[in-house]
Amino acid sequence: MSDKRPVVVYGVSGYTGRLVCEYLREYNVPFIAAGRDKAKVQAVVDKIPGIETADYEVVEVEHTVAALTELFKGARVVSNMVGPFIKYGPEVVEACLAAGCHYLDTTGEQDWVLKAQSSWGDAFAAKGLLLSPNLAQMYTTGEIAANICLETPGLDTLDILVFWKGLPTYASTQTIFTILKADWYYLEQNKYLPWDVTARADVVVPGQHETAIAVPWGGTAHPVWFKNDPRVANCKVMGGVLARPVMEGVVQTTQMVKEQIKPLPLADQEKALADIAATLQATMPPRENPRINTSIDSVYASGPLGRAHCVIHGNCNYKQTGMLQAYAAYSLLQKAPNRAGFASGCQAFGHRELLGQLRSFGLVMKPQLTVQD
């Protein structure tokens, strides 16, 4: 047995990486806080509440397969926070595979989830390792709600809404603009069909009278997770932030992207989108306040002769993400995942188990479930 700390959190200089470390401390899991700039990582770790009682070390590492493999050797789980993942993720996944580590990340990028599945899913499964991109509030909490609906047999269609209150972090902003250059898909009769990048809808949000603007938000990971689930034939997801002025700006931006940026060569698209993203969010947002930063995951599931509706109200979506990552690592250190290879959070750990952890930390309310059959 290696005496190395068993969990590596890569990308701790960012907002979410700090929260993963914070919850690893709650679970009493020793960890390595790693990043490309040791001073930045140390400055973030020093601000984690109660860090003096944690078992950890801070390490600087180059973003190369060789350097990351060397760092990961002897560890068992890697929690990757370095995005946009379609740009920076391959090196980390390759290093995990070489070092024999389970891989987790917090991506919201559908194109990255699809690439991870097709490029490395079989290789991870052959080694009994978990490859779980997008273990995060967006969109694991919605996946939990969907699976609660699917406990009612005979439902094959998922209509999912994901909303939250607050501002995206710097890394999330980079991701939002990265996915604008990708193709987005929903699931219809078990086939991927493309979204129009300018698609939008005025939706009724559970728990409030005011409607909200929803967009496909890059397609989300749900259609990928449910593509090979025999219970589900159709899956369509929309969401966004609850502040209408922000979403009006998102709609204007997607229209501009379709008209002015999509026709450009891919490299020019990336530069143009990165330049826009850099002007919007360049600093660390304040720590979440549960009285302000709330989340809503709503799922309508339907079938020929049945209906179910599940709503999960929560708070602090980034804290939800940090806790989910930490619990996943904690679980993997004690037993094998429910499914090896490419798997979602619910497929790997169980939707009721993840819900129980979120509830135990006061991050979500008891789900509201209505069933008609």
Side-chain angles (χ1 to χ4, degrees):
M1 292 291 291
S2 171
D3 59 359
K4 188 169 189 172
R5 291 174 176 87
V7 177
V8 179
V9 185
Y10 180 47
V12 178
S13 58
Y15 188 94
T16 309
R18 176 180 64 186
L19 291 169
V20 176
C21 294
E22 183 174 326
Y23 281 100
L24 285 170
R25 172 193 167 274
E26 297 278 352
Y27 282 104
N28 292 311
V29 174
F31 63 90
I32 296 170
R36 289 164 287 184
D37 186 324
K38 185 174 182 178
K40 286 184 178 179
V41 174
Q42 188 68 62
V44 168
V45 172
D46 286 344
K47 294 178 181 177
I48 295 174
I51 192 62
E52 66 278 0
T53 64
D55 181 357
Y56 74 98
E57 63 180 303
V58 174
V59 173
E60 182 172 294
V61 62
E62 292 181 0
H63 189 79
T64 65
V65 174
L68 291 167
T69 300
E70 187 62 30
L71 172 63
F72 298 165
K73 282 181 180 176
R76 296 172 60 191
V77 182
V78 172
S79 178
N80 181 24
M81 306 293 111
V82 180
F85 294 89
I86 196 70
K87 185 175 182 180
Y88 297 112
E91 294 87 348
V92 189
V93 175
E94 292 282 1
C96 282
L97 195 58
C101 290
H102 299 291
Y103 174 90
L104 313 169
D105 75 32
T106 59
T107 188
E109 306 160 45
Q110 189 188 75
D111 57 340
W112 168 244
V113 176
L114 286 164
K115 179 175 176 59
Q117 180 184 36
S118 62
S119 298
W120 300 287
D122 291 344
F124 271 72
K127 289 191 172 186
L129 296 172
L130 175 64
L131 174 65
S132 190
N134 188 220
L135 182 62
Q137 189 276 325
M138 293 181 76
Y139 299 96
T140 304
T141 309
E143 185 196 8
I144 293 170
N147 275 283
I148 291 173
C149 287
L150 291 171
E151 291 174 355
T152 300
L155 309 181
D156 65 2
T157 297
L158 298 174
D159 178 357
I160 303 176
L161 197 62
V162 179
F163 270 100
W164 56 282
K165 226 181 247 187
L167 294 172
T169 64
Y170 174 77
S172 293
T173 303
Q174 298 296 313
T175 294
I176 290 166
F177 279 87
T178 295
I179 61 177
L180 286 173
K181 74 178 189 300
D183 294 323
W184 313 341
Y185 301 98
Y186 59 92
L187 199 62
E188 185 171 302
Q189 291 305 310
N190 208 39
K191 294 180 180 179
Y192 289 129
L193 295 181
W195 280 102
D196 185 323
V197 70
T198 61
R200 57 154 291 174
D202 287 286
V203 299
V204 176
V205 180
Q208 68 178 47
H209 292 108
E210 184 180 3
T211 60
I213 297 172
V215 297
W217 216 256
T220 82
H222 301 93
V224 185
W225 295 331
F226 289 108
K227 174 70 166 62
N228 296 318
D229 188 324
R231 299 172 298 175
V232 178
N234 312 292
C235 180
K236 185 174 281 190
V237 191
M238 300 189 86
V241 299
L242 285 167
R244 179 173 280 271
V246 173
M247 293 307 296
E248 288 171 345
V250 169
V251 170
Q252 292 173 359
T253 299
T254 54
Q255 186 67 44
M256 179 272 292
V257 168
K258 181 178 182 178
E259 295 173 355
Q260 300 179 26
I261 295 181
K262 279 280 191 179
L264 300 174
L266 185 59
D268 292 341
Q269 288 185 44
E270 291 179 352
K271 182 180 185 307
L273 291 168
D275 289 346
I276 297 170
T279 67
L280 296 178
Q281 175 64 276
T283 59
M284 187 85 76
R287 185 175 176 82
E288 290 169 303
N289 183 333
R291 296 175 61 245
I292 298 171
N293 303 109
T294 58
S295 65
I296 301 172
D297 292 88
S298 174
V299 179
Y300 282 105
S302 60
L305 294 173
R307 299 287 188 275
H309 182 206
C310 183
V311 180
I312 299 179
H313 292 275
N315 63 65
C316 302
N317 57 304
Y318 284 102
K319 289 183 183 179
Q320 290 182 48
T321 297
M323 190 239 80
L324 289 165
Q325 287 280 318
Y327 172 72
Y330 174 74
S331 178
L332 289 168
L333 297 180
Q334 299 176 74
K335 72 180 190 73
N338 296 341
R339 181 186 298 182
F342 176 84
S344 70
C346 291
Q347 291 164 349
F349 304 104
H351 64 283
R352 288 288 179 180
E353 287 78 1
L354 294 180
L355 174 63
Q357 295 299 313
L358 288 166
R359 297 267 293 143
S360 72
F361 281 94
L363 293 167
V364 300
M365 292 174 59
K366 181 179 179 180
Q368 300 172 8
L369 177 64
T370 304
V371 178
Q372 297 176 323
D373 55 16

